[in-house]
Amino acid sequence: MPFLNLSHITRYTYRQPVSFGEHRIMVRPRESYDQHLIDAELNIDPAPADIRWLQDVFGNSVAIATFDRPARELVFDSQIRLQHMPSELQHVDIEDYAQGYPFTYSSEDMPDLLRSIERQHHDPQRQIDSWARRFVNTDGPTDTLHMLSEMTRAIKREFTYVGRPEKGTQSPIETLARRKGTCRDYAMLMIEAVRALGFAARFVSGYVYNPTATEARTGGGNTHAWVRVYLPGSGWVEFDPTNGIVGSRGLIRVAVARDIYQAVPISGTWSGFPGSFLDMTVSVDINVDRSVSDKPRPADLKPRKTTIC
């Protein structure tokens, strides 16, 4: 049950002062049974004229900031302390009726899962469908968890991870054709693939870290993306195709959404002379604190007030 000290700094720089419109910030980790937010501080420079917090339709914490003065630099500095209790693959329990594929979600769950089963990208030649079907046994029963785990590992094994700082995401068909991409490209490919098989899936934005010195994770130093699939008996289960892992070990959830564009960490507008924008840099640093003396007290597990400076 490690404690994590997480620093996420996003910096925008401009040639001359520009004005800032409304900004939407999603960097506060979600509170859940496997991750407890102990302390959270968000510093914004220049200080916003107003900031308010809300929960979106998925229950993500969102800060809305507005500004009243121009500046040549805009910095979002998020400092988090978190207790993480990750789930392991062996703790994925699936109801008997869903252990073998195919299966049908229960009548109680189906109405709430339908939009997460619905495909988001056109696949006129059924390329994603064909790729997804390769993981289904043709000569015997298909174990549900094994099939999803093998798909996760196959993306890690057969595709080349290439970091891309620019905004945007490849379509799943582009990722399949190029055999390379970023974590968000891989997440969207797997989401479309499992949806093609009838599973409910969602996009997750958050952070990745190395749980131990011997466990390396790809995607650090920036935000990370992966997939959640709904499995009766365990609910939403994490699958990280970039690292080929199942479960939340090394993964910190911030935003969960049906589509990637609903989980952008920071978005907003600015106005000024054309060509004013110079650069955007993102720095994410996660320190794993395994200090024996730092044991949580019940009061420590309650979120403290988030301060805005």
Side-chain angles (χ1 to χ4, degrees):
M1 299 183 185
F3 287 82
L4 308 176
N5 297 311
L6 191 157
S7 172
H8 177 181
I9 301 174
T10 302
R11 185 184 306 272
Y12 300 89
T13 55
Y14 305 85
R15 296 182 188 280
Q16 56 269 320
V18 298
S19 298
F20 304 109
E22 181 178 275
H23 277 66
R24 183 181 179 92
I25 306 112
M26 300 176 70
V27 295
R28 183 187 178 99
R30 293 172 64 103
E31 181 74 21
S32 186
Y33 63 90
D34 60 346
Q35 56 182 51
H36 293 290
L37 190 60
I38 297 172
D39 201 7
E41 182 177 350
L42 177 62
N43 298 303
I44 303 175
D45 184 26
D50 180 63
I51 189 164
R52 61 188 177 90
W53 287 88
L54 59 86
Q55 280 191 312
D56 66 10
V57 68
F58 300 104
N60 303 311
S61 293
V62 183
I64 307 295
T66 56
F67 302 85
D68 60 359
R69 63 186 180 90
R72 294 181 60 180
E73 190 173 73
L74 178 60
V75 181
F76 298 91
D77 183 350
S78 173
Q79 301 295 322
I80 300 293
R81 184 163 177 80
L82 187 87
Q83 184 190 24
H84 194 214
M85 297 166 287
S87 60
E88 304 288 351
L89 176 60
Q90 59 265 30
H91 296 152
V92 179
D93 297 316
I94 303 178
E95 297 284 357
D96 291 343
Y97 77 89
Q99 290 182 5
Y101 176 84
F103 68 90
T104 302
Y105 289 117
S106 69
S107 58
E108 292 83 6
D109 292 334
M110 185 61 83
D112 298 307
L113 296 176
L114 280 174
R115 293 306 305 275
S116 294
I117 300 173
E118 186 178 274
R119 302 281 293 274
Q120 299 292 312
H121 297 266
H122 294 297
D123 185 15
Q125 298 180 356
R126 303 182 69 85
Q127 298 175 63
I128 303 300
D129 298 62
S130 298
W131 183 81
R133 298 297 301 182
R134 63 174 274 200
F135 301 99
V136 180
N137 291 335
T138 58
D139 56 354
T142 299
D143 181 88
T144 298
L145 183 57
H146 180 269
M147 176 183 67
L148 294 172
S149 301
E150 181 55 31
M151 182 185 294
T152 305
R153 290 189 289 265
I155 295 175
K156 162 68 174 177
R157 182 175 62 247
E158 300 172 9
F159 291 70
T160 302
Y161 176 84
V162 179
R164 190 178 65 249
E166 307 89 49
K167 295 181 180 180
T169 305
Q170 294 175 172
S171 72
I173 292 178
E174 288 176 318
T175 302
L176 192 60
R178 295 175 181 175
R179 315 298 288 188
K180 63 182 180 180
T182 66
C183 59
R184 57 188 186 268
D185 299 325
Y186 293 165
M188 290 309 301
L189 170 61
M190 185 167 177
I191 287 173
E192 284 296 293
V194 299
R195 284 175 175 171
L197 297 176
F199 289 93
R202 287 181 174 175
F203 178 87
V204 189
S205 175
Y207 305 105
V208 60
Y209 69 95
N210 298 327
T212 65
T214 59
E215 295 178 85
R217 295 284 191 268
T218 300
N222 209 318
T223 55
H224 191 57
W226 63 96
V227 182
R228 299 188 102 190
V229 179
Y230 191 83
L231 298 177
S234 280
W236 294 102
V237 178
E238 323 283 328
F239 294 87
D240 180 1
T242 300
N243 290 291
I245 58 175
V246 180
S248 61
R249 185 175 176 81
L251 300 174
I252 301 298
R253 291 184 303 277
V254 170
V256 177
R258 180 171 46 84
D259 187 84
I260 185 173
Y261 298 106
Q262 298 169 307
V264 178
I266 298 177
S267 60
T269 61
W270 64 273
S271 59
F273 290 107
S276 294
F277 178 74
L278 284 176
D279 194 19
M280 179 193 76
T281 60
V282 179
S283 173
V284 174
D285 182 65
I286 302 177
N287 175 259
V288 181
D289 183 0
R290 297 182 179 86
S291 173
V292 177
S293 63
D294 196 2
K295 294 181 179 179
R297 301 183 300 275
D300 290 333
L301 299 182
K302 298 178 181 178
R304 298 174 184 169
K305 183 179 179 181
T306 299
T307 58
I308 305 297
C309 301

Short mmCIF file of all heavy atoms in Angstrom, two decimals, residues 16 18 22 27 55 71 77 132-134 136 138 159 161 172 198 215 242 254 257 264 284 299:
data_model
loop_
_atom_site.label_atom_id
_atom_site.label_comp_id
_atom_site.label_asym_id
_atom_site.label_seq_id
_atom_site.Cartn_x
_atom_site.Cartn_y
_atom_site.Cartn_z
N GLN A 16 4.44 37.26 -26.40
CA GLN A 16 4.03 38.48 -25.73
C GLN A 16 2.76 38.17 -24.94
O GLN A 16 2.17 37.12 -25.11
CB GLN A 16 3.76 39.61 -26.73
CG GLN A 16 2.75 39.29 -27.80
CD GLN A 16 3.39 38.72 -29.03
OE1 GLN A 16 4.45 39.16 -29.46
NE2 GLN A 16 2.76 37.72 -29.62
N VAL A 18 -0.80 37.47 -23.67
CA VAL A 18 -2.05 37.09 -24.33
C VAL A 18 -3.14 37.00 -23.27
O VAL A 18 -2.86 36.91 -22.07
CB VAL A 18 -1.91 35.75 -25.07
CG1 VAL A 18 -0.85 35.83 -26.16
CG2 VAL A 18 -1.61 34.62 -24.09
N GLU A 22 -11.75 30.67 -20.71
CA GLU A 22 -12.05 29.67 -19.68
C GLU A 22 -11.21 28.42 -19.90
O GLU A 22 -11.03 27.96 -21.03
CB GLU A 22 -13.54 29.32 -19.74
CG GLU A 22 -13.98 28.31 -18.70
CD GLU A 22 -15.47 28.02 -18.77
OE1 GLU A 22 -16.25 28.78 -18.15
OE2 GLU A 22 -15.84 27.04 -19.45
N VAL A 27 -7.15 17.11 -13.29
CA VAL A 27 -5.89 16.53 -12.81
C VAL A 27 -6.03 15.95 -11.40
O VAL A 27 -5.07 15.39 -10.87
CB VAL A 27 -4.76 17.57 -12.82
CG1 VAL A 27 -4.44 18.01 -14.25
CG2 VAL A 27 -5.10 18.78 -11.96
N GLN A 55 -18.47 18.07 -10.66
CA GLN A 55 -18.32 16.68 -11.08
C GLN A 55 -19.08 16.52 -12.38
O GLN A 55 -20.25 16.91 -12.49
CB GLN A 55 -18.88 15.72 -10.03
CG GLN A 55 -17.94 15.47 -8.87
CD GLN A 55 -18.40 14.32 -7.99
OE1 GLN A 55 -19.55 14.26 -7.61
NE2 GLN A 55 -17.48 13.41 -7.67
N ALA A 71 -0.97 37.54 -19.75
CA ALA A 71 0.35 37.13 -19.28
C ALA A 71 1.08 36.43 -20.41
O ALA A 71 0.49 36.01 -21.41
CB ALA A 71 0.22 36.20 -18.08
N ASP A 77 0.04 23.88 -11.77
CA ASP A 77 0.93 23.08 -10.92
C ASP A 77 0.07 22.28 -9.93
O ASP A 77 -0.47 22.83 -8.98
CB ASP A 77 1.90 24.01 -10.18
CG ASP A 77 2.91 23.25 -9.32
OD1 ASP A 77 2.75 22.03 -9.14
OD2 ASP A 77 3.85 23.88 -8.83
N ALA A 132 -10.05 -8.19 -33.76
CA ALA A 132 -10.54 -8.59 -32.44
C ALA A 132 -10.92 -10.07 -32.41
O ALA A 132 -10.70 -10.76 -31.40
CB ALA A 132 -11.75 -7.73 -32.05
N ARG A 133 -11.45 -10.59 -33.51
CA ARG A 133 -11.91 -11.98 -33.55
C ARG A 133 -10.76 -12.98 -33.48
O ARG A 133 -10.97 -14.14 -33.18
CB ARG A 133 -12.72 -12.23 -34.82
CG ARG A 133 -13.99 -11.42 -34.97
CD ARG A 133 -15.02 -11.69 -33.91
NE ARG A 133 -15.46 -13.08 -33.86
CZ ARG A 133 -16.39 -13.52 -33.02
NH1 ARG A 133 -16.97 -12.67 -32.18
NH2 ARG A 133 -16.73 -14.78 -33.01
N ARG A 134 -9.52 -12.52 -33.74
CA ARG A 134 -8.38 -13.44 -33.68
C ARG A 134 -8.14 -13.96 -32.27
O ARG A 134 -7.49 -14.99 -32.08
CB ARG A 134 -7.11 -12.76 -34.19
CG ARG A 134 -6.67 -11.57 -33.38
CD ARG A 134 -5.33 -10.99 -33.81
NE ARG A 134 -4.21 -11.68 -33.17
CZ ARG A 134 -2.99 -11.17 -33.07
NH1 ARG A 134 -2.73 -9.97 -33.58
NH2 ARG A 134 -2.03 -11.82 -32.47
N VAL A 136 -10.56 -14.87 -30.25
CA VAL A 136 -11.66 -15.77 -29.90
C VAL A 136 -11.34 -17.16 -30.41
O VAL A 136 -11.03 -17.33 -31.60
CB VAL A 136 -13.00 -15.27 -30.50
CG1 VAL A 136 -14.13 -16.21 -30.13
CG2 VAL A 136 -13.30 -13.85 -30.03
N THR A 138 -11.67 -20.71 -31.98
CA THR A 138 -12.58 -21.27 -33.00
C THR A 138 -12.77 -22.76 -32.82
O THR A 138 -13.64 -23.36 -33.46
CB THR A 138 -12.02 -21.00 -34.41
OG1 THR A 138 -10.71 -21.57 -34.52
CG2 THR A 138 -11.95 -19.51 -34.68
N PHE A 159 3.03 -4.00 -31.30
CA PHE A 159 3.03 -2.61 -31.73
C PHE A 159 4.21 -1.88 -31.10
O PHE A 159 4.69 -2.25 -30.04
CB PHE A 159 1.72 -1.92 -31.33
CG PHE A 159 0.51 -2.42 -32.08
CD1 PHE A 159 0.01 -3.70 -31.86
CD2 PHE A 159 -0.14 -1.62 -33.00
CE1 PHE A 159 -1.10 -4.17 -32.54
CE2 PHE A 159 -1.25 -2.06 -33.69
CZ PHE A 159 -1.74 -3.35 -33.45
N TYR A 161 5.69 1.45 -29.40
CA TYR A 161 5.28 2.67 -28.70
C TYR A 161 6.13 3.85 -29.18
O TYR A 161 7.36 3.78 -29.16
CB TYR A 161 5.45 2.51 -27.19
CG TYR A 161 5.13 3.77 -26.41
CD1 TYR A 161 3.81 4.09 -26.07
CD2 TYR A 161 6.13 4.65 -26.02
CE1 TYR A 161 3.51 5.24 -25.36
CE2 TYR A 161 5.85 5.81 -25.32
CZ TYR A 161 4.54 6.09 -24.99
OH TYR A 161 4.25 7.24 -24.30
N PRO A 172 -8.45 4.12 -34.64
CA PRO A 172 -8.05 2.73 -34.42
C PRO A 172 -7.57 2.05 -35.70
O PRO A 172 -6.63 1.25 -35.65
CB PRO A 172 -9.34 2.09 -33.89
CG PRO A 172 -10.05 3.20 -33.20
CD PRO A 172 -9.78 4.41 -34.06
N GLY A 198 -18.68 -6.86 -28.20
CA GLY A 198 -19.86 -6.72 -27.37
C GLY A 198 -19.61 -6.32 -25.93
O GLY A 198 -20.53 -6.32 -25.12
N GLU A 215 10.14 -3.22 -11.76
CA GLU A 215 8.98 -3.18 -12.65
C GLU A 215 9.00 -1.87 -13.43
O GLU A 215 8.75 -0.80 -12.88
CB GLU A 215 7.67 -3.29 -11.86
CG GLU A 215 7.48 -4.62 -11.17
CD GLU A 215 6.19 -4.63 -10.36
OE1 GLU A 215 5.13 -4.93 -10.95
OE2 GLU A 215 6.25 -4.33 -9.15
N THR A 242 -0.55 -0.49 -23.36
CA THR A 242 0.80 0.03 -23.56
C THR A 242 1.82 -0.80 -22.80
O THR A 242 2.93 -1.04 -23.28
CB THR A 242 0.88 1.50 -23.10
OG1 THR A 242 -0.04 2.28 -23.87
CG2 THR A 242 2.29 2.07 -23.27
N VAL A 254 -7.50 9.32 -13.02
CA VAL A 254 -7.92 10.71 -12.84
C VAL A 254 -9.30 10.92 -13.46
O VAL A 254 -10.21 11.44 -12.83
CB VAL A 254 -6.91 11.69 -13.46
CG1 VAL A 254 -7.46 13.12 -13.48
CG2 VAL A 254 -5.60 11.66 -12.67
N ALA A 257 -14.08 8.14 -18.97
CA ALA A 257 -15.07 8.68 -19.89
C ALA A 257 -15.39 7.67 -20.98
O ALA A 257 -14.64 6.71 -21.21
CB ALA A 257 -14.59 9.98 -20.50
N VAL A 264 -9.86 15.09 -21.42
CA VAL A 264 -8.66 15.87 -21.68
C VAL A 264 -8.19 16.51 -20.37
O VAL A 264 -8.97 17.19 -19.70
CB VAL A 264 -8.93 16.97 -22.73
CG1 VAL A 264 -7.68 17.80 -22.96
CG2 VAL A 264 -9.40 16.33 -24.03
N VAL A 284 5.53 15.29 -15.39
CA VAL A 284 4.87 14.48 -14.36
C VAL A 284 5.94 13.68 -13.62
O VAL A 284 6.71 12.95 -14.24
CB VAL A 284 3.84 13.53 -14.97
CG1 VAL A 284 3.28 12.59 -13.89
CG2 VAL A 284 2.70 14.31 -15.62
N ALA A 299 -8.22 9.57 9.83
CA ALA A 299 -8.44 10.96 9.42
C ALA A 299 -7.65 11.32 8.19
O ALA A 299 -8.04 12.17 7.41
CB ALA A 299 -8.06 11.91 10.58
#
